[in-house]
Amino acid sequence: MVEFTKKPAGKIAIDSAITAGINAALLIVGSRFLKSADLGPLTMMQLFASSAVILQRSTLLSPGLSARRALGAEAIIPLRWAVASVPILTLVVVSIAPLAMNATQPRWQVLLVCAAFTASLLFQDFVRYVFISHDSAGLAIRMDFTWLVSTACLVAVPLLHPSWMLLSTTWATAAISSAVLAAATAHRRLRTPRLAVRLRDTLKLGRWGGLDNLMSIIANLAPMVVTTLVLATPLAASYRILQTALGPLNIINTTLIVTFGLDSYKLTSVNELKTLDRRVRKSATYLAIGSVIYTSVAFFLISSLAGIDYKTAVRVGVVLAIAALLGAATTPATAAASALGYQAIGVAIRVFVVAASLLISWAAAIGGPIPWDDPIGAVSILAATLGLAGWGTGYIFAARRERLLLT
């Protein structure tokens, strides 16, 4: 265990655990202390901001690590790329999210809070990946631990006057402060001469991962928005809160994708491809078994902490448990195929997922029949099923093709 925490994968997992815990705390605290009229805007804003973070990771950060393969070296991700990435993605979120949040506050206030919230998450995640690319995941742990401590110290303020705007502003202030402080204190180390990954190679890989995740975001947002605005039920908030229980599984998924990407520069021989294949098979087995054991306990704990009623917790929990199991079995294949440079596989899968999501959401909006009368659940299970089938098949194809190229 001690040796594991000294390795990059162990440090990345620890950092991801801290991050997941803080994200979960935001929604759990909101569920406990905010009125339903305030909980809706908070969960929707967090969903859009998290989607922007995922898009930045898939477009620049994860591909930046995979681009090391083209250089055959442990190259770094330049922090200066954040100057363009953070403002662009923040602008996209601010132009769309307030329309789906259904907030009652003045529009300019909603826009301002949404912008600050999103920008803080994006910049913090960029700094996190810069540290990881410098083989300094320990700095990311320090940054997020500072975020945790400052959030805990400041959270009493919004709880005195419960408001989604005050809670999210406090949370975002702690996030951006920890990121700026971490980047400033590590400035000398970040300026140490190191080979940087090429932007061209990164964008070449990122265009596929970005398009894949953009379509995934659309597929996830469509049923959420329909459930919140058209069906006018609190089911979307329940899904978002219980999804926080998946944090540890997402930690493992993120760790796998990042570590496979960090090792991508080694995948230049048939023996290394065979080692990769063994890693994929072993990881898929362990993750599938672990997800079943974990979700059976985690959903009960989170629903109890957040005060979700029993029937809703069971209904949502079963759907998310099935999706988690399928997703756990998929992640190793996704990570391996991406490390080999086959991010385009995800695009083909997402085309079908988006089409199905939009069809199901449209049917729900006009009162048509949908599975379980739950557009979010129907899309979640369908997307996870298509992901497992698509990435599993895609990885097999990618691995065989790479072996042929190397022989």
Side-chain angles (χ1 to χ4, degrees):
M1 181 63 181
V2 174
E3 288 300 319
F4 174 73
T5 58
K6 291 181 180 179
K7 296 179 180 179
K11 292 181 179 179
I12 293 169
I14 293 171
D15 178 64
S16 298
I18 297 172
T19 305
I22 301 174
N23 280 292
L26 174 69
L27 297 183
I28 292 173
V29 169
S31 178
R32 276 292 185 183
F33 293 95
L34 298 181
K35 298 178 180 179
S36 57
D38 271 357
L39 182 58
L42 176 66
T43 55
M44 290 304 292
M45 181 182 67
Q46 197 269 349
L47 175 60
F48 275 90
S50 297
S51 299
V53 170
I54 291 172
L55 192 59
Q56 179 176 253
R57 283 187 181 184
S58 61
T59 305
L60 279 179
L61 303 179
S62 291
L65 297 178
S66 296
R68 289 174 158 198
R69 191 183 185 210
L71 298 175
E74 298 177 292
I76 64 164
I77 297 174
L79 182 60
R80 64 177 181 274
W81 290 358
V83 175
S85 177
V86 173
I88 291 173
L89 289 173
T90 299
L91 182 61
V92 172
V93 170
V94 170
S95 64
I96 301 174
L99 301 176
M101 289 166 59
N102 200 26
T104 57
Q105 290 79 10
R107 185 172 178 78
W108 70 269
Q109 293 182 8
V110 176
L111 291 173
L112 186 60
V113 172
C114 189
F117 188 89
T118 304
S120 66
L121 287 189
L122 287 169
F123 181 70
Q124 187 190 55
D125 202 56
F126 209 111
V127 172
R128 183 178 296 116
Y129 269 75
V130 169
F131 287 160
I132 291 172
S133 72
H134 276 264
D135 301 312
S136 300
L139 293 176
I141 295 176
R142 295 178 193 175
M143 176 182 71
D144 287 325
F145 183 75
T146 301
W147 183 28
L148 174 63
V149 172
S150 56
T151 299
C153 293
L154 295 174
V155 75
V157 176
L159 294 186
L160 293 175
H161 304 283
S163 162
W164 75 268
M165 297 186 74
L166 188 55
L167 179 60
S168 57
T169 300
T170 301
W171 191 79
T173 300
I176 193 67
S177 299
S178 66
V180 171
L181 178 63
T185 54
H187 181 67
R188 181 175 299 178
R189 184 180 299 190
L190 295 180
R191 289 183 63 87
T192 302
R194 290 275 301 271
L195 182 66
V197 294
R198 294 192 291 255
L199 181 60
R200 181 178 180 179
D201 293 336
T202 300
L203 294 178
K204 185 178 179 180
L205 295 174
R207 72 183 189 276
W208 296 117
L211 184 56
D212 171 22
N213 280 274
L214 177 60
M215 290 192 290
S216 175
I217 289 167
I218 293 172
N220 290 329
L221 286 177
M224 286 280 187
V225 172
V226 167
T227 301
T228 302
L229 299 183
V230 181
L231 303 183
T233 72
L235 197 59
S238 297
Y239 266 102
R240 287 301 298 157
I241 293 168
L242 279 184
Q243 282 173 345
T244 62
L246 300 177
L249 294 182
N250 293 332
I251 291 168
I252 297 173
N253 294 344
T254 300
T255 303
L256 274 178
I257 292 173
V258 172
T259 53
F260 276 41
L262 285 171
D263 292 338
S264 64
Y265 71 95
K266 300 177 182 178
L267 303 176
T268 55
S269 69
V270 174
N271 285 336
E272 288 295 337
L273 292 180
K274 289 180 179 179
T275 300
L276 178 67
D277 190 59
R278 288 194 294 270
R279 290 178 66 186
V280 170
R281 294 175 186 277
K282 185 180 294 184
S283 298
T285 300
Y286 290 158
L287 283 177
I289 295 173
S291 70
V292 174
I293 298 173
Y294 170 76
T295 55
S296 63
V297 177
F299 288 139
F300 171 77
L301 293 177
I302 295 296
S303 60
S304 298
L305 289 172
I308 301 175
D309 69 90
Y310 177 76
K311 289 184 178 180
T312 301
V314 171
R315 175 182 177 178
V316 174
V318 169
V319 170
L320 292 179
I322 295 172
L325 171 61
L326 297 173
T330 304
T331 297
T334 304
S338 298
L340 291 172
Y342 288 80
Q343 284 84 351
I345 293 171
V347 176
I349 300 170
R350 295 301 178 189
V351 168
F352 292 100
V353 173
V354 170
S357 175
L358 294 177
L359 179 61
I360 292 172
S361 300
W362 173 77
I366 64 173
I370 55 174
W372 317 298
D373 294 322
D374 179 4
I376 301 174
V379 171
S380 296
I381 292 179
L382 178 62
T385 302
L386 291 175
L388 177 59
W391 277 110
T393 304
Y395 165 66
I396 293 173
F397 164 79
R400 287 178 178 175
R401 185 172 185 273
E402 289 300 307
R403 288 194 190 97
L404 290 175
L405 293 175
L406 292 173
T407 55

